[in-house]
Amino acid sequence: MSESSEPVGVILAVDPGRFAEVVEALRRAGLVVTSEQPMIGTLSGTVAEDRIPALAAVDGVASVDREYINRNSPP
């Protein structure tokens, strides 16, 4: 029995000329899209951590960066 990893936030840069096509392929690869910026070719979402390489392999994806949240208290 395999276990999937915990979902993590990711930010992606994709080809803006093929935005809808690439986003659909990313959804099929396991991405749950939370926001889209088609004019500049970026989007964010969540995915199981072990699926990040599959997102990076989608044709039209320029970069996949893991989202980090700063949990430090202000001074």
Side-chain angles (χ1 to χ4, degrees):
M1 181 170 149
S2 68
E3 293 181 31
S4 64
S5 60
E6 291 293 316
V8 296
V10 289
I11 301 169
L12 302 98
V14 304
D15 180 352
R18 300 172 44 212
F19 191 83
E21 168 193 340
V22 176
V23 170
E24 181 56 34
L26 290 166
R27 285 187 167 115
R28 287 194 305 269
L31 180 68
V32 176
V33 176
T34 56
S35 72
E36 301 179 19
Q37 300 78 39
M39 295 294 287
I40 58 173
T42 62
L43 66 148
S44 60
T46 59
V47 67
E49 189 166 17
D50 62 355
R51 298 292 302 160
I52 290 175
L55 298 183
V58 170
D59 185 34
V61 172
S63 68
V64 180
D65 296 310
R66 188 169 172 178
E67 184 178 56
Y68 290 97
I69 299 171
N70 183 353
R71 298 187 192 278
N72 293 331
S73 300

